[in-house]
């Protein structure tokens, strides 16, 4: 959205910049401690470290999700960042291990960590500790966390999706499960209205396999960054389906309570990416798509301010 007056744009950019670069780093107050207060102080320091750990990993690995989280109400922002850090940690396992067995072991660690959290066993790992805090504060549903882990376990098999329904199920079990958890932090429990999948901006080669044979393309084409027409046709098919989900998500936007709006800001990120992909004729390897869109923070802020997505 553009404004007629440059001054108005500058004001809103300034406000958003303040939220992004200053608000999360507000210095904690310093007190003169009595000996009996040292133990509590150390616990507080650990909590601050865990929070910053989640902030850093989301800002580095999921920048768009980081921006969306900053626009959550202050009371739930820390929990939202913990959930996104959890999601990022799971998502990067497949690409960060050399053997499937190692990846499955790491996923098993997270499955055990979630079970420990719901047994009220305070964990030491930073993300787990922040999740423990979020679960205590918002009574988050264990099923959604375990469903994300289970879907990541299936993805470790590296099998091609046989049909579009399997690809959509992957999005439902990962991205929609995260959405449900974010809605719970906001106090919203109307899952029947929130039922839609958000396609990730960077889909793995495996996710493209469903469409490859239809257009005479191969996984090697994507590995080497081919910009041929048949490769762009594959991207077009997936982008078109993502657009359908986006339109479906927005079809009930008037019925979404204002309190739940922050959870749906991710649709703004998807809309922006689809627009930019369409602009370069569905060439996902175009240099412009490898850069962050500088107007995205402003777009997110305006949608958040107007309570729309």
């Amino acid at each position: 959205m553009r404004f007629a007056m440059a001054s108005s744009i500058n004001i809103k950019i300034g406000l958003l910049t303040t939220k992004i670069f200053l608000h999360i780093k507000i210095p904690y107050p310093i007190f003169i401690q009595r000996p009996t207060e040292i133990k509590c102080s150390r616990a507080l320091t650990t909590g601050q470290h865990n929070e910053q750990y989640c902030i850093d990993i989301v800002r580095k690995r999921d920048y768009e999700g980081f921006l969306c989280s900053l626009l959550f109400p202050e009371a739930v922002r820390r929990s939202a960042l913990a959930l996104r850090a959890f999601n990022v940690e799971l998502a990067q396992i497949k690409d960060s291990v050399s053997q499937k067995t190692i990846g499955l072991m790491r996923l098993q660690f997270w499955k055990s960590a979630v079970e420990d959290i719901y047994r009220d066993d305070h964990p030491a790992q930073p993300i787990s500790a922040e999740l423990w805090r979020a679960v205590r504060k918002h009574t988050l549903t264990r099923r959604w966390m375990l469903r994300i882990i289970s879907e990541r376990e299936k993805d470790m098999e590296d099998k091609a999706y046989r049909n579009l329904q399997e690809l959509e199920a992957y999005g439902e079990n990962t991205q929609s499960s995260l959405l449900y958890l974010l809605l719970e932090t906001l106090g919203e429990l109307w899952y029947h209205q929130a039922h839609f999948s958000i396609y990730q901006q960077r889909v793995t080669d495996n996710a493209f396999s469903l469409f490859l044979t239809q257009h005479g393309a191969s996984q090697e084409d994507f590995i080497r960054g081919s910009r041929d027409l048949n490769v762009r046709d594959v991207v077009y098919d997936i982008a078109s389906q993502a657009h359908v989900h986006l339109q479906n998500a927005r079809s009930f936007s008037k019925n979404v309570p204002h309190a739940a709006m922050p959870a749906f800001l991710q649709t703004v990120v998807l809309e922006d990416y689809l627009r930019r992909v369409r602009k370069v004729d569905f060439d996902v390897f175009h240099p412009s798509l490898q850069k962050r869109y500088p107007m995205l923070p402003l777009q997110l802020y305006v949608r958040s301010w107007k309570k729309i997505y």
Side-chain angles (χ1 to χ4, degrees):
M1 185 178 295
R2 297 179 179 175
F3 296 90
M5 300 180 63
S7 60
S8 178
I9 294 177
N10 291 335
I11 290 173
K12 295 190 182 300
I13 290 177
L15 289 172
L16 182 58
T17 302
T18 300
K19 282 179 173 290
I20 295 175
F21 296 108
L22 296 181
H23 182 75
I24 62 173
K25 292 188 176 181
I26 294 177
Y28 292 89
I30 300 175
F31 301 96
I32 298 176
Q33 299 174 325
R34 299 174 183 173
T36 55
E37 296 174 336
I38 293 178
K39 184 176 180 179
C40 293
S41 176
R42 286 174 179 170
L44 179 62
T45 302
T46 301
Q48 294 169 6
H49 167 76
N50 294 339
E51 180 183 9
Q52 190 62 48
Y53 182 92
C54 290
I55 290 172
D56 291 341
I57 192 173
V58 176
R59 179 162 43 194
K60 181 179 180 180
R61 301 287 184 177
D62 181 16
Y63 181 71
E64 293 81 6
F66 170 71
L67 292 179
C68 292
S69 297
L70 293 181
L71 294 170
F72 272 56
E74 184 176 0
V76 303
R77 191 176 303 142
R78 180 172 175 178
S79 298
L81 285 164
L83 289 168
R84 290 193 184 278
F86 170 68
N87 187 58
V88 167
E89 186 72 15
L90 296 177
Q92 67 183 9
I93 288 177
K94 183 176 180 179
D95 295 329
S96 63
V97 297
S98 57
Q99 298 179 13
K100 183 180 75 172
T101 303
I102 299 175
L104 291 173
M105 289 174 61
R106 290 178 61 178
L107 287 167
Q108 182 58 48
F109 163 82
W110 281 106
K111 187 177 293 185
S112 299
V114 170
E115 296 292 355
D116 288 342
I117 287 171
Y118 281 89
R119 283 195 294 266
D120 205 19
D121 185 1
H122 194 297
Q125 201 274 349
I127 296 177
S128 298
E130 287 296 285
L131 283 179
W132 178 87
R133 177 186 176 278
V135 167
R136 299 280 82 70
K137 184 173 183 180
H138 307 288
T139 318
L140 302 179
T141 303
R142 173 172 50 183
R143 178 170 73 256
W144 305 130
M145 292 190 193
L146 293 177
R147 195 165 76 158
I148 297 174
I149 298 172
S150 295
E151 192 64 29
R152 294 298 182 185
E153 286 180 330
K154 295 177 185 177
D155 194 44
M156 289 297 298
E157 297 298 326
D158 208 23
K159 294 181 180 179
Y161 296 105
R162 294 173 297 179
N163 50 55
L164 185 58
Q165 287 70 35
E166 288 189 358
L167 178 58
E168 291 179 331
Y170 173 81
E172 167 66 21
N173 291 331
T174 55
Q175 296 303 308
S176 291
S177 294
L178 174 63
L179 172 63
Y180 300 153
L181 289 164
L182 291 172
L183 284 169
E184 286 188 327
T185 67
L186 295 165
E188 300 296 336
L189 302 175
W190 35 281
Y191 301 129
H192 62 287
Q193 289 185 318
H195 184 80
F196 70 95
S197 302
I198 300 176
Y199 280 77
Q200 291 175 297
Q201 293 181 13
R202 295 177 180 83
V203 185
T204 63
D205 295 334
N206 187 33
F208 283 111
S209 299
L210 174 61
F211 301 94
L212 295 179
T213 56
Q214 299 176 9
H215 299 289
S218 66
Q219 292 192 14
E220 287 71 24
D221 291 330
F222 286 95
I223 293 174
R224 63 184 176 84
S226 172
R227 303 169 74 176
D228 294 339
L229 179 60
N230 57 348
V231 173
R232 286 186 277 123
D233 285 342
V234 174
V235 177
Y236 171 80
D237 282 352
I238 294 180
S240 297
Q241 192 63 24
H243 180 72
V244 170
H245 281 280
L246 179 61
Q247 294 302 108
N248 180 50
R250 288 180 169 167
S251 66
F252 55 78
S253 60
K254 292 182 179 180
N255 299 322
V256 175
H258 285 175
M261 286 295 179
F264 292 94
L265 287 176
Q266 196 73 27
T267 61
V268 181
V269 176
L270 175 60
E271 177 189 44
D272 169 70
Y273 186 75
L274 291 176
R275 177 189 62 79
R276 292 196 289 146
V277 167
R278 186 170 59 249
K279 187 175 180 180
V280 297
D281 195 22
F282 302 96
D283 175 13
V284 290
F285 301 107
H286 193 279
S288 66
L289 297 179
Q290 312 309 315
K291 302 176 182 178
R292 291 173 179 169
Y293 182 51
M295 294 299 292
L296 180 59
L298 178 59
Q299 289 180 355
L300 286 168
Y301 178 79
V302 171
R303 297 288 184 91
S304 174
W305 177 64
K306 298 185 72 172
K307 305 296 184 185
I308 60 175
Y309 63 86

